[in-house]
Amino acid sequence: FVTSNNPVINGGVHGYYQASVGNYNYVGAQGAVNIPISDTLAARFAFNTDFRDSFYDISGPYSGDDGVRTGSGRFSVLWEPSSNLSVLWKTDINYLDLSGYPSDPVNATNDPFDITANADIMALDRFARTLVEVNYEFGNGVTLRSVSGYQIGNTRYAADLDGTNVGVATFRDSVDETIWSQEVNLISPDDGPITWILGAYYQHDEYDFLPGEFVIGLPEGSIFSEYSLEGQNPKESAAIFGQITYDLPEGFEIQVGARYAEASTANDISVLQYGTPITQDQEASWDNLSGKVTLNWTINDHHFLYGFVATGFRPGGLNVPVGLGPPAPFDEELVTSYEIGWKAGWLDGRIRTQINAFRTEYENFQVIIGYPDFPVPNLNIQLNTPEPTIMYGAEAQIEAVFGAFSLDAGIGLLNSELGTFYATDPRSGGAA
């Protein structure tokens, strides 16, 4: 989804431009312009660029890390032929060259910005996104909304895994990604005691690991000292959902929502692990019914209380193969959240306060670690923690304005318990 300013019909020609300079030879520019075309049509163009030299001083026969070179442009058109129909089209193109992510060994003692490297360093993302959003309001006030999206991109990454100019551990990859998505909503008018929304969603997301581009070399250059991977990882998700809100007497309001989701993933990949060929043709799928119940109480114009209980779901997935067989998938993550809060205004709105407390419980919390039995840099496995993960805390905030004097203060308390599980640190070969 692309969320940004829309063109303004009958808004005239208006826009802005700003430029900035800084140390490390930094130069940046940003701007946008609104272009009226007719009484029913308008367009908008926006751009952003950033250029600077690297923060790092790197010695060694490396290539890459020359700084930051980024540029983005967005074009959008809004058409409103009648009061009950609008069509919005947006497209943006992005070029993000961050040159790389230099790093030191885990036990290095030198300045973190003064490092050595003898392998290529690269971090380049190029992608484009486009969407069409159509809103049509029927005579009874119900709105039909359709959002269609398409995204395509490529990410290229290269790193010196040992972070020195004497080691031979390297990593590089180039991955294409394509995403198709479609959402449809029916939305009720918002002026009655009962409001509701119904919707459906579908997304297809596919990764394409290009031949000869995903390589971990220890050192690179021989099939007996490389781990290479190529193939596809398609993922699909679909959901139907709805929410209804009912205004009760005495300022109470209740909201009830539900969402049924299905997700699937597949790996169709080939691996050459230090001369040993491995093929993975594996699929996994999950489904879940989640919900939320919220009770709101508007005591008066200055005091609002709320509380809710919600459940959520994050799909599982597949791991890349290591050894002689495909690794087990990791399971879906199930979440239950509780929250209560009080928002208040005092002294005719001069003081506003907000207090809330929350608790979130995760079952099958997903973590990414190095392979316990195969500690190779940049080759990880995703798994579920065996014990529930619990987070809870409280927050408080106050905003006060008295003439020219203003105060804004807040405090937060958070406790998290991840549980105990076995892991390795592939950078040092140690176990934890």
Side-chain angles (χ1 to χ4, degrees), residues 20-64:
S20 54
V21 296
N23 58 350
Y24 294 93
N25 292 318
Y26 171 79
V27 177
Q30 183 182 108
V33 60
N34 186 82
I35 305 171
I37 300 175
S38 71
D39 291 340
T40 62
L41 189 66
R44 188 176 191 271
F45 174 75
F47 75 95
N48 182 76
T49 61
D50 280 297
F51 303 91
R52 66 163 172 80
D53 294 338
S54 174
F55 295 152
Y56 293 91
D57 182 12
I58 306 177
S59 59
Y62 76 99
S63 65

Side-chain angles (χ1 to χ4, degrees), residues 245-262:
T245 301
Y246 181 48
D247 292 337
L248 299 171
E250 304 298 331
F252 284 94
E253 177 187 75
I254 187 169
Q255 295 177 334
V256 179
R259 177 185 181 98
Y260 175 75
E262 294 183 349

